[in-house]
Amino acid sequence: MIPQDPIILLSYINTKLRDHYASLDLLCEDLGVDQAALVSKLNAVDYAYDKTKNQFV
């Protein structure tokens, strides 16, 4: 289960990306997360996935 609060979710996802996953695709596949919903939730608080940084910025 991933956090539902967007700011806590941002921190959680960026930490997972930094420490365990080489891409958002791999993270979503491994955790069983709907990538489109995750991206949409973080876009709503003005964060977008940067593929080159492998982080939401």
Side-chain angles (χ1 to χ4, degrees):
M1 183 102 155
I2 64 170
Q4 296 304 305
D5 179 272
I7 301 304
I8 295 171
L9 177 62
L10 171 68
S11 177
Y12 175 83
I13 294 297
N14 276 344
T15 299
K16 288 285 192 185
L17 287 168
R18 181 190 68 221
D19 295 345
H20 303 288
Y21 297 98
S23 72
L24 183 59
D25 292 333
L26 292 173
L27 178 143
C28 290
E29 181 180 325
D30 191 47
L31 298 180
V33 173
D34 179 336
Q35 186 171 342
L38 172 66
V39 168
S40 177
K41 190 167 205 169
L42 292 176
N43 284 344
V45 290
D46 297 323
Y47 285 88
Y49 182 66
D50 182 329
K51 198 176 229 181
T52 60
K53 292 181 181 180
N54 193 35
Q55 295 284 294
F56 280 87
V57 294

